[in-house]
């Protein structure tokens, strides 16, 4: 028997086929072949049509089935991971009324900030664990204010993963974890945030039916089967946003466990059982995949927009062939990059910096002595330092990291990057070769409640190596303090 996992991203749809009994990956594919585009009618806007995701899900599913010569009836479950915070709105016929306003669309920022001030910062932090900010609820309010005729036709709102589950099953459902990422969940009353709904003027019946994150959330309908190639009746057993799902994929479920991701942006995602929030303006707090009203598990997330995108920009603009060549160049330069520093904040407003947009800064370059090798090392160190900076914020918010697990992506493959973070936070970093789609497929078994076996399969199938803190942390600390002091000056002057 097999399980299928989908990762509904904004650049592509990843689909994974695994052996259900062992968790072993059979095949992982991406659709489409060329990266999906975004519709930007105005600066700061970002939209995609939900049916484009569905088209690529169907194509990917048929490829997995055909290329691996399996019987669709041998697929025992479906798991779904998806881009967080997006808004999909449908009418009574179940048709999307407009493009999805996706995660990186910033049009609702003023709406969220106004609500944060009117409702009270302390109340939002205590009950929502976040500012309404630019999350799904604020995007829905934007539609209400700017497209009232369209808003009047809305039957239900959904998150991107909810829409894919709906297309598969014809059931309109969501999860507590999903509602929390949209800022619709009240952690104090352990129910929907009716007071926020009232403030925004939303009818409560816009919210889909709630199902458990790990549960039978519906079965593939006759139409879903015809379009996707799956067998009718195949159960949907899991769904979650991409960052909680990445943590799940790395076996991060309990307080003290941290998942790190070094993609285009960088994320430190730590689990806590505390509802105490001091840094709601700089870090996000969501119901983790194993949160229930009886089991408090919060994912506290520090996001660095300017992470892998900084290293990619450097590769594209230096005379180098690959990341591996850049890593080898960087190894020739001592810790601290002979004084060269890079602050990688050139990918928009950084939440950890109180939403300031600093731009990327390269400093202290001596044109007689420094080379591209110094830029490579300074970039790796600067991105690593930004991760450490984010972890410092989370530590001030009560996080006590005991284990850090990371995916085997380009940044964490670089010894300099991983060693720098490990040494400065004083924790080993475990590296695993897995993906969100594989994690979503494996999560199909978690409705049975056997988290121990789930974790063992990740270790057996995916463990790559560990990075341990350096015996001599002093040069790392000295370089970090120099970088941090320069950052503080930049923030004061911005």
């Amino acid at each position: 028997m097999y399980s299928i996992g989908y990762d509904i991203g904004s650049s592509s749809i990843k689909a994974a086929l695994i052996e259900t009994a062992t968790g072993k990956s059979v095949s992982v594919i991406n659709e489409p072949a060329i990266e999906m585009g975004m519709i930007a009618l105005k600066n700061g806007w970002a939209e995609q049509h939900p049916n484009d995701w569905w088209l690529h899900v169907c194509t990917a599913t048929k490829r997995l089935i055909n290329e691996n010569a399996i019987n669709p009836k041998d697929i025992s479950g479906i798991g779904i991971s998806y881009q967080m915070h997006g808004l999909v709105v449908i009418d009574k016929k179940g048709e999307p009324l407009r493009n999805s306003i996706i995660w990186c669309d910033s049009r609702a920022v003023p709406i969220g900030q106004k609500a944060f001030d009117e409702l009270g910062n302390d109340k939002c932090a205590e009950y929502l664990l976040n500012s309404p900010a630019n999350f799904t609820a604020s995007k829905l309010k934007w539609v209400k204010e700017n497209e009232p005729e369209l808003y009047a036709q809305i039957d239900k709102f959904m998150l991107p993963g909810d829409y894919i589950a709906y297309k598969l099953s014809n059931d309109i459902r969501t999860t507590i974890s999903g509602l929390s990422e949209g800022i619709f969940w009240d952690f104090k009353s352990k129910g929907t945030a009716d007071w926020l709904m009232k403030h925004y003027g939303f009818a409560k019946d816009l919210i889909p039916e709630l199902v458990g994150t790990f549960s039978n959330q519906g079965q593939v309908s006759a139409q879903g089967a015809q379009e996707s190639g799956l067998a009718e009746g195949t159960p949907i057993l899991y769904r979650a946003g991409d960052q909680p799902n990445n943590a799940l994929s790395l076996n991060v479920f309990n307080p003290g466990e941290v998942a790190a991701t070094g993609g285009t942006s960088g994320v430190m995602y730590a689990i806590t059982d505390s509802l105490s929030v001091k840094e709601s303006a700089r870090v996000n707090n969501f119901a983790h995949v194993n949160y229930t009203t009886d089991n408090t598990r919060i994912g506290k997330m520090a996001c660095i927009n300017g992470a892998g995108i900084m290293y990619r920009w450097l590769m594209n603009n230096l005379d180098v062939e690959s990341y591996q060549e850049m890593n080898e160049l960087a190894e020739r330069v001592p810790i601290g990059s002979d004084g060269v520093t890079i602050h990688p904040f050139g990918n928009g407003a950084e939440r950890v910096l109180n939403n300031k947009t600093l731009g990327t800064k390269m400093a202290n370059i001596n044109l007689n002595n420094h080379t591209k090798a110094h830029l490579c090392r300074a970039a790796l160190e600067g991105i690593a330092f930004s991760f450490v900076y984010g972890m410092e914020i989370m530590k001030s918010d009560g996080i006590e990291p005991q284990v850090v697990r990371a995916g085997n992506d380009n940044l964490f493959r670089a010894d300099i990057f991983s060693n720098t973070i490990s040494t400065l936070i004083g924790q080993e970093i475990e590296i695993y070769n897995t993906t969100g789609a594989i994690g979503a497929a494996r999560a199909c078994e978690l409705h049975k409640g056997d988290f121990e076996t789930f974790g063992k399969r990740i270790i057996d199938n995916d463990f790559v190596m560990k990075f341990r803190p350096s015996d001599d942390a002093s040069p790392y600390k000295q370089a970090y303090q120099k970088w941090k002091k320069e950052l503080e000056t930049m923030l004061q002057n911005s």
Side-chain angles (χ1 to χ4, degrees):
M1 300 298 287
Y2 303 91
S3 299
I4 280 185
Y6 301 110
D7 189 358
I8 315 301
S10 49
S11 59
S12 70
I13 307 301
K14 299 178 180 65
L17 183 72
I18 68 157
E19 293 178 354
T20 303
T22 64
K24 182 179 179 181
S25 175
V26 176
S27 178
V28 179
I29 61 174
N30 282 15
E31 284 289 340
I34 300 173
E35 188 173 296
M36 283 191 295
M38 297 181 192
I39 303 162
L41 300 178
K42 294 184 180 180
N43 288 340
W45 289 22
E47 300 181 356
Q48 291 179 323
H49 199 284
N51 283 337
D52 290 342
W53 307 331
W54 173 239
L55 172 67
H56 299 313
V57 164
C58 292
T59 303
T61 305
K62 291 170 184 174
R63 279 188 59 196
L64 282 178
I65 291 169
N66 294 332
E67 292 174 14
N68 294 283
I70 64 170
N71 188 330
K73 293 181 179 179
D74 288 335
I75 297 171
S76 60
I78 298 163
I80 301 170
S81 168
Y82 58 88
Q83 49 175 299
M84 297 173 73
H85 319 307
L87 172 68
V88 179
V89 290
I90 60 169
D91 61 19
K92 291 186 182 299
K93 295 180 181 179
E95 293 299 320
L97 286 161
R98 67 177 329 282
N99 292 329
S100 171
I101 303 176
I102 65 172
W103 64 277
C104 53
D105 185 298
S106 60
R107 75 185 72 179
V109 169
I111 290 172
Q113 184 59 49
K114 182 182 178 187
F116 192 40
D117 294 335
E118 291 178 348
L119 293 167
N121 295 7
D122 290 344
K123 182 173 182 178
C124 289
E126 184 177 356
Y127 289 82
L128 304 175
L129 309 188
N130 295 283
S131 159
N134 190 38
F135 298 122
T136 312
S138 299
K139 290 168 179 167
L140 182 58
K141 175 65 170 175
W142 184 93
V143 174
K144 187 174 189 292
E145 289 183 353
N146 293 274
E147 300 172 346
E149 293 182 3
L150 184 150
Y151 180 85
Q153 300 175 59
I154 297 174
D155 181 57
K156 290 287 186 292
F157 74 80
M158 287 185 264
L159 297 155
D162 299 333
Y163 184 74
I164 296 303
Y166 159 69
K167 292 294 286 184
L168 285 167
S169 66
N170 206 37
D171 293 318
I172 303 172
R173 293 169 177 167
T174 193
T175 63
I176 291 175
S177 180
L179 289 184
S180 83
E181 76 179 66
I183 316 300
F184 290 101
W185 188 253
D186 185 325
F187 287 90
K188 285 287 188 180
S189 70
K190 300 181 180 180
T192 55
D194 294 342
W195 51 277
L196 177 69
M197 298 280 288
K198 182 179 179 180
H199 181 81
Y200 274 165
F202 301 154
K204 195 171 180 181
D205 60 8
L206 292 178
I207 298 176
E209 176 190 353
L210 276 178
V211 291
T213 298
F214 309 112
S215 69
N216 190 327
Q217 303 174 354
Q219 293 82 39
V220 173
S221 66
Q223 183 174 352
Q226 181 180 2
E227 295 183 23
S228 69
L230 292 164
E232 184 177 355
T234 306
I236 301 166
L237 298 172
Y238 165 78
R239 80 183 79 176
D242 51 14
Q243 292 305 330
N245 180 73
N246 286 342
L248 169 141
S249 304
L250 293 164
N251 194 32
V252 169
F253 293 102
N254 300 305
E257 297 175 347
V258 180
T261 307
T264 299
S265 60
V267 170
M268 299 290 270
Y269 184 99
I271 309 303
T272 178
D273 56 6
S274 171
L275 294 179
S276 175
V277 173
K278 298 177 183 176
E279 292 283 1
S280 62
R282 293 203 289 171
V283 299
N284 300 134
N285 301 270
F286 306 118
H288 192 36
V289 291
N290 57 337
Y291 169 95
T292 67
T293 53
D294 299 319
N295 182 52
T296 301
R297 290 292 183 270
I298 305 299
K300 192 178 292 289
M301 185 172 75
C303 181
I304 312 296
N305 291 342
I309 191 172
M310 168 70 229
Y311 212 43
R312 184 171 73 228
W313 181 91
L314 205 58
M315 182 176 72
N316 291 340
N317 288 280
L318 291 179
D319 183 23
V320 293
E321 297 294 328
S322 66
Y323 291 122
Q324 180 61 33
E325 182 182 349
M326 293 171 69
N327 295 345
E328 290 171 357
L329 284 168
E331 291 284 358
R332 302 176 188 174
V333 178
I335 298 167
S337 308
D338 285 334
V340 177
T341 53
I342 292 181
H343 293 78
F345 304 118
N347 191 29
E350 293 282 4
R351 187 172 174 85
V352 296
L353 304 180
N354 287 309
N355 291 315
K356 290 189 176 181
T357 303
L358 295 183
T360 293
K361 299 289 193 300
M362 302 181 185
N364 313 314
I365 299 171
N366 184 305
L367 300 178
N368 296 307
N369 300 329
H370 295 136
T371 67
K372 63 183 177 182
H374 290 87
L375 293 179
C376 293
R377 174 115 201 177
L380 285 173
E381 289 184 336
I383 301 166
F385 292 158
S386 69
F387 273 63
V388 175
Y389 187 79
M391 180 56 75
E392 285 184 352
I393 295 171
M394 291 202 292
K395 284 183 176 180
S396 73
D397 212 8
I399 293 297
E400 297 180 4
Q402 296 168 7
V403 61
V404 179
R405 301 188 179 108
N408 192 30
D409 47 42
N410 285 326
L411 284 174
F412 280 99
R413 286 186 196 134
D415 288 1
I416 290 170
F417 180 79
S418 293
N419 282 330
T420 299
I421 295 175
S422 174
T423 301
L424 288 170
I425 67 174
Q427 291 289 333
E428 290 184 347
I429 298 178
E430 301 173 0
I431 306 296
Y432 293 85
N433 189 22
T434 188
T435 69
I438 291 173
R442 288 177 179 158
C444 289
E445 288 294 280
L446 282 175
H447 69 284
K448 300 174 182 176
D450 189 354
F451 285 79
E452 184 177 347
T453 297
F454 178 88
K456 186 176 184 301
R457 286 174 180 165
I458 291 174
I459 293 170
D460 290 345
N461 288 303
D462 305 333
F463 179 75
V464 177
M465 63 181 297
K466 286 183 180 180
F467 289 95
R468 293 179 173 84
S470 172
D471 292 336
D472 183 8
S474 56
Y476 293 92
K477 290 179 179 179
Q478 184 177 353
Y480 175 61
Q481 290 305 320
K482 173 182 170 63
W483 179 93
K484 186 177 177 181
K485 186 175 181 180
E486 291 178 2
L487 174 60
E488 290 169 349
T489 301
M490 291 162 60
L491 291 170
Q492 289 170 5
N493 295 333
S494 64

